[in-house]
Amino acid sequence: MPRKFDSEITIDSFDRWIFRGNEITHPSILRYFRENLKENSHGVYIENVFGELSENGYLSISGYPCHITNILEQDGEILFTSDDGRVTLESQWEIFQSPDGNVFALDPERPKILFRFDWNAATSLANYLEEEGDSVYFKTPLITREILVHSDPIEISLPTNFDFA
């Protein structure tokens, strides 16, 4: 059973990863954290595995821990590249807008871990967005789907204790 604890990492509203008051900026460390970000009913954590030992360091989130960094069109399909090392089909994501108009993506298999589009990806995304009245749609030659407003807050808190199975 993994050891569970407060990692003392916070992702702030500017998407910065903060450890004990200091911003984590080293790209390979951030990539490792993003690649190992998991969630369960208790919160979001970084999973570290060392041979047969493992630990889950929980964090608090008030921003977007991951980002879509590129959007590619390949053989009629739209692909999203993300800073957690994945390249996935757009159809594997749900795209929402926040009440203040930010567009973000959600992986239905990890709904607590939200992905903001960085500047480059947002520029590409704009080619697929169309406004009709009060609605915004994601449109490709193959699909059209409305981008709904996601009204849930993006705040993820630490568990109140770490004595759960």
Side-chain angles (χ1 to χ4, degrees), residues 10-107:
T10 299
I11 299 166
D12 71 10
S13 61
F14 297 104
D15 303 348
R16 295 178 300 199
W17 289 65
I18 309 294
F19 176 69
R20 295 183 180 165
N22 296 303
E23 183 176 2
I24 302 167
T25 59
H26 198 280
S28 62
I29 292 171
L30 291 169
R31 174 104 181 221
Y32 176 83
F33 287 166
R34 289 177 173 128
E35 287 175 351
N36 292 286
L37 210 52
K38 311 282 186 205
E39 70 175 68
N40 60 22
S41 61
H42 303 286
V44 174
Y45 59 93
I46 300 166
E47 180 179 61
N48 292 307
V49 178
F50 312 98
E52 293 184 23
L53 302 174
S54 64
E55 61 184 20
N56 297 343
Y58 284 80
L59 34 96
S60 61
I61 301 173
S62 56
Y64 298 91
C66 299
H67 303 99
I68 303 295
T69 58
N70 198 10
I71 298 175
L72 304 167
E73 196 167 337
Q74 181 178 330
D75 300 325
E77 298 278 2
I78 307 298
L79 299 172
F80 288 172
T81 303
S82 52
D83 60 5
D84 65 347
R86 297 185 300 159
V87 177
T88 49
L89 291 170
E90 170 279 325
S91 60
Q92 294 177 291
W93 296 87
E94 294 177 14
I95 303 172
F96 291 96
Q97 59 181 318
S98 65
D100 60 359
N102 290 320
V103 179
F104 63 92
L106 178 149
D107 176 349

Side-chain angles (χ1 to χ4, degrees), residues 98-117:
S98 65
D100 60 359
N102 290 320
V103 179
F104 63 92
L106 178 149
D107 176 349
E109 293 182 15
R110 301 186 310 164
K112 294 178 183 177
I113 303 170
L114 304 179
F115 288 69
R116 182 179 55 79
F117 291 85

Side-chain angles (χ1 to χ4, degrees), residues 64 93-106 117 129-130 134-138 144-152:
Y64 298 91
W93 296 87
E94 294 177 14
I95 303 172
F96 291 96
Q97 59 181 318
S98 65
D100 60 359
N102 290 320
V103 179
F104 63 92
L106 178 149
F117 291 85
L129 300 180
E130 289 187 21
D134 292 336
S135 298
V136 176
Y137 294 89
F138 181 84
T144 297
R145 65 180 158 138
E146 186 174 6
I147 297 179
L148 301 174
V149 174
H150 190 285
S151 59
D152 292 337

